[in-house]
């Protein structure tokens, strides 16, 4: 059931038309709707805020912001196919850690995130200019949080970025690059301010309020920021990460779903006890889409899952990701590898010529055979409704399992004097998926557990950078040590040409 998007889709469409083409940093952004005549009710205002949610959903969808969080890690690759399909040198450069400032995928990710920030700025200005603004405090806070979330991902990917808080940009005074530490402080202050006027999950009807941000959604974002603070600012914030996690845990409003895949079904969204932040999807109402099955699965998957389209066989994962799981770990069921069968587990899944599909590791990054590349089906097609090749599974941004593992890691890094607390948190996540409980706990155990639990949820690159394995680790197609400067992407040259006030990140060609 998609109460939220169905209710608001028409007004969102109208508002989107008013903002389209006006959100790049080198352009002026003007909304044609007048706050004096528009935001007379909360529903009218909410119809604009939902557009910011849809713009931010790129961080969890198949769009470039999500891909940039996964490219270059040991769990995600899009190999070029021997048929000529999917070959993209820009993708290969990121996978092999040789990205340059002319990379088109990096530029697409930049455009997507700063478009979200631009839309948020326009909506926020309209809300704050409304004569009804005193009754819109929660929506103003919600929009500030959405903008801050966009900045969080931009800061994570590019480090040193401009800070823009206005909808109208003076073309004679374009924004300059700001240091990552300053961006971190801005995001933190915006999120802390937003929390003051957002409702707690304990104060709303979760079914009707879903999937809007609550205090806990922003506390979770801060917990993640604090966990990575040493990377971002040079100063660790372990105790602050624990405090934010405790705020969420102490509500007693969240728990782990019985099965991890329940979080990704199309039928268990607004009633989930684990989801803290997500994006509502309903392609039948032009309210977003989920294309993970389209981009990931093999062509014989059309028959296996009775799909109304032929999957494109693009997104893949490495043996390194597969091999982290124990044989009995239920999370392993999310990965397709080896000989494939129909859902009965007996009937071979075959190509039209009768050959059984046997999925093997990627052998050739440029010219892979059709059956190369293990597949991740996190957003299960079972039970999903499709409109064309778009599924209606909601996109996950944050869930309770992450809060447990953030707290566990922060306690270990902060020298927790009672290691059993961290161990218990990690084992709670492991036992849910039938993994063997750990008897002791190291940081390597935590990194591996996060990789198992959050496969393809957009965390791996950030995690590998925090643990250092992004630079020192070796895996398929990444045999060498990575230079430290590649912990952030280059500022795209096309953006610097449009705005000469943007400085290139150190290490990249100036």
């Amino acid at each position: 059931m998609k109460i939220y998007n169905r209710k608001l889709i028409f007004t969102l469409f109208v508002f989107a038309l008013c903002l389209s083409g006006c959100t790049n940093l080198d352009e002026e952004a003007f909304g044609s709707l007048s706050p004096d005549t528009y935001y007379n009710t909360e529903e009218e205002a909410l119809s604009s805020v939902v557009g910011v949610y849809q713009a931010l959903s790129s961080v969890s969808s198949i769009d470039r912001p999500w891909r940039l969080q996964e490219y270059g890690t040991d769990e995600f690759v899009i190999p070029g196919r021997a048929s000529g399909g999917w070959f993209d040198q820009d993708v290969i450069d990121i996978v092999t850690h040789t990205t340059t400032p002319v990379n088109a995928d990096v530029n697409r990710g930049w455009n997507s995130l700063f478009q979200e920030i631009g839309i948020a700025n326009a909506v926020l200005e309209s809300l704050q200019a409304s004569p009804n603004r005193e009754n819109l405090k929660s929506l103003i806070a919600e929009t500030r949080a959405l903008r801050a979330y966009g900045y969080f991902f931009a800061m994570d990917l590019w480090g040193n970025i401009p800070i823009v808080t206005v909808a109208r940009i003076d073309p004679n005074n374009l924004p300059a690059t700001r240091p990552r530490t300053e961006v971190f402080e801005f995001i933190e202050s915006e999120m802390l301010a937003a929390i003051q006027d957002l409702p707690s999950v304990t104060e709303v009807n979760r079914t009707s309020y879903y999937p809007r941000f609550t205090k806990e959604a922003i506390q979770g974002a801060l917990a993640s920021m604090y966990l990575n603070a040493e990377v971002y600012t040079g100063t660790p914030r372990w105790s602050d990460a624990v405090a934010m996690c405790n705020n969420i845990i102490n509500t007693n409003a969240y728990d782990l779903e019985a099965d991890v895949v329940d979080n990704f079904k199309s039928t268990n969204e607004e009633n989930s006890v684990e989801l803290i932040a997500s994006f509502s999807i309903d392609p039948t109402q032009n309210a977003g889409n989920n294309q993970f099955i389209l981009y990931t699965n093999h062509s014989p998957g059309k028959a296996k899952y009775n799909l109304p389209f032929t999957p494109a066989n693009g997104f893949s994962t490495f043996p390194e990701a597969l091999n982290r799981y124990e044989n009995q770990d239920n999370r392993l069921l999310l990965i397709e590898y080896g000989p494939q069968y129909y859902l009965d587990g007996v009937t071979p899944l075959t190509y039209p010529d009768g050959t059984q599909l046997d999925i093997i590791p990627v052998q050739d990054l440029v010219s892979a055979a059709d059956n190369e590349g293990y597949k991740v089906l996190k957003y299960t097609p079972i039970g999903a409704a499709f409109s064309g090749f778009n599924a209606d599974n909601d996109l996950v941004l944050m869930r309770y399992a992450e809060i447990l593992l953030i707290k566990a890691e922060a306690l270990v890094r902060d020298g927790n004097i009672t290691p059993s607390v961290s161990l218990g948190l990690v084992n709670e996540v492991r036992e849910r998926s039938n993994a063997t409980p750990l008897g002791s706990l190291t940081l390597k155990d935590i990194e591996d557990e996060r990789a198992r639990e959050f496969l393809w949820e957009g965390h791996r690159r950030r995690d590998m950078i925090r643990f250092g394995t992004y630079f020192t680790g070796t895996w398929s197609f990444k045999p060498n040590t990575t230079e430290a400067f590649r912990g952030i992407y280059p500022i795209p040259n096309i953006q610097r040409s449009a705005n000469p006030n943007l400085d290139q990140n150190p290490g990249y060609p100036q």
Side-chain angles (χ1 to χ4, degrees):
M1 187 164 56
K2 310 287 183 179
I3 299 171
Y4 179 55
N5 277 335
R6 283 181 177 169
K7 183 178 181 182
L8 300 173
I9 185 61
F10 178 73
T11 43
L12 163 62
F13 175 74
V14 173
F15 189 77
L17 288 179
C18 298
L19 288 179
S20 62
C22 301
T23 51
N24 290 332
L25 291 183
D26 57 332
E27 297 178 355
E28 295 187 18
F30 298 92
S32 63
L33 297 175
S34 168
D36 294 331
T37 59
Y38 193 50
Y39 302 133
N40 294 316
T41 67
E42 183 178 6
E43 184 174 80
E44 288 178 348
L46 181 57
S47 68
S48 296
V49 177
V50 72
V52 193
Y53 276 102
Q54 289 207 326
L56 183 62
S57 70
S58 64
V59 302
S60 296
S61 71
I62 54 90
D63 207 351
R64 264 60 181 193
W66 177 84
R67 296 190 206 185
L68 292 180
Q69 298 168 78
E70 292 287 349
Y71 282 146
T73 72
D74 59 2
E75 71 175 28
F76 184 70
V77 63
I78 307 177
R81 296 294 172 185
S83 62
W86 286 107
F87 174 79
D88 187 334
Q89 188 62 49
D90 289 328
V91 172
I92 292 172
D93 289 345
I94 304 176
V95 169
T96 57
H97 292 201
T98 56
T99 317
T100 69
V102 298
N103 190 289
D105 265 32
V106 173
N107 185 58
R108 292 186 188 104
W110 175 285
N111 281 336
S112 183
L113 283 173
F114 280 97
Q115 179 180 0
E116 186 269 344
I117 291 167
I119 294 173
N121 282 335
V123 173
L124 192 57
E125 281 197 5
S126 294
L127 290 171
Q128 291 170 331
S130 171
N132 194 34
R133 59 184 173 275
E134 286 302 310
N135 297 320
L136 302 175
K137 285 185 177 180
S138 179
L139 281 170
I140 290 172
E142 202 170 342
T143 309
R144 289 180 74 177
L146 284 160
R147 181 179 65 183
Y149 238 122
Y151 269 115
F152 167 61
F153 284 101
M155 174 194 67
D156 181 70
L157 294 171
W158 290 281
N160 312 295
I161 56 175
I163 298 175
V164 179
T165 59
V166 296
R168 304 184 181 193
I169 298 174
D170 183 354
N172 298 313
N173 185 28
L174 296 175
T177 305
R178 308 284 272 275
R180 198 180 207 182
T181 299
E182 188 176 334
V183 181
F184 179 98
E185 292 170 351
F186 167 75
I187 299 168
E188 180 185 27
S189 65
E190 286 292 290
M191 287 188 173
L192 289 173
I195 286 172
Q196 302 306 310
D197 290 321
L198 284 172
S200 168
V201 68
T202 61
E203 300 169 343
V204 298
N205 181 306
R206 287 172 76 165
T207 299
S208 60
Y209 193 79
Y210 174 88
R212 296 170 60 187
F213 284 168
T214 59
K215 290 182 188 295
E216 291 74 24
I218 309 310
Q219 288 165 345
L222 283 166
S224 183
M225 267 199 15
Y226 291 145
L227 186 67
N228 292 278
E230 190 170 26
V231 173
Y232 297 149
T233 70
T235 302
R237 300 281 294 272
W238 314 125
S239 59
D240 290 329
V242 172
M244 286 298 164
C245 289
N246 284 338
N247 287 337
I248 297 169
I249 293 169
N250 292 339
T251 63
N252 295 314
Y254 296 100
D255 202 350
L256 299 180
E257 292 285 348
D259 190 330
V260 66
V261 75
D262 289 344
N263 293 287
F264 306 93
K265 292 179 177 178
S266 70
T267 54
N268 192 42
E269 294 152 345
E270 60 263 23
N271 296 314
S272 172
V273 297
E274 186 169 347
L275 295 185
I276 296 174
S278 58
F279 301 102
S280 185
I281 299 298
D282 190 351
T284 65
Q285 300 293 318
N286 295 320
N289 59 68
N290 186 320
Q291 297 181 346
F292 274 93
I293 297 301
L294 167 68
Y295 275 67
T296 299
N297 212 216
H298 284 89
S299 57
K302 177 178 182 179
K304 179 177 181 177
Y305 298 108
N306 192 29
L307 302 173
F309 57 88
T310 300
N313 189 23
F315 296 175
S316 305
T317 195
F318 292 123
E320 287 83 355
L322 177 76
N323 294 338
R324 289 193 184 97
Y325 298 94
E326 298 173 287
N327 290 336
Q328 80 280 6
D329 193 323
N330 292 334
R331 294 170 295 193
L332 188 58
L333 299 175
L334 297 171
I335 305 177
E336 292 187 338
Y337 61 98
Q340 295 299 293
Y341 299 86
Y342 279 85
L343 293 176
D344 62 11
V346 176
T347 307
L349 184 64
T350 63
Y351 288 103
D353 65 1
T355 303
Q356 184 177 11
L357 172 60
D358 184 9
I359 306 177
I360 65 174
V362 176
Q363 308 293 312
D364 191 325
L365 191 58
V366 175
S367 185
D370 182 77
N371 66 327
E372 292 180 23
Y374 298 151
K375 300 303 182 183
V376 178
L377 296 187
K378 198 139 203 178
Y379 291 97
T380 175
I382 300 174
F386 287 88
S387 177
F389 43 70
N390 300 311
D392 68 341
N393 309 60
D394 284 1
L395 297 166
V396 173
L397 180 60
M398 176 170 286
R399 50 193 180 89
Y400 189 60
E402 185 178 359
I403 300 306
L404 298 181
L405 294 185
I406 288 176
K407 181 177 178 179
E409 181 181 342
L411 286 172
V412 170
R413 290 186 182 275
D414 203 27
N416 178 28
I417 59 174
T418 53
S420 61
V421 175
S422 295
L423 181 62
L425 293 168
V426 173
N427 279 336
E428 185 176 350
V429 174
R430 287 179 60 79
E431 290 171 4
R432 185 256 297 269
S433 293
N434 199 38
T436 304
L438 299 175
S440 60
L441 190 65
T442 66
L443 283 175
K444 178 60 175 172
D445 292 328
I446 294 174
E447 181 186 7
D448 287 346
E449 195 58 36
R450 286 187 61 90
R452 296 183 194 100
E453 181 68 17
F454 304 123
L455 179 65
W456 282 22
E457 290 185 52
H459 300 300
R460 187 59 178 154
R461 182 178 183 276
R462 185 161 59 246
D463 287 350
M464 294 187 81
I465 289 171
R466 185 174 69 256
F467 283 95
T469 50
Y470 188 79
F471 310 102
T472 62
T474 59
W475 55 90
S476 303
F477 308 107
K478 194 269 179 182
N480 301 316
T481 300
T482 294
E483 304 98 320
F485 74 83
R486 294 192 182 278
I488 51 178
Y489 284 111
I491 307 298
N493 276 354
I494 192 170
Q495 301 299 332
R496 297 185 65 216
S497 295
N499 180 1
N501 292 333
L502 298 179
D503 296 326
Q504 185 55 269
N505 283 326
Y508 293 103
Q510 301 296 312

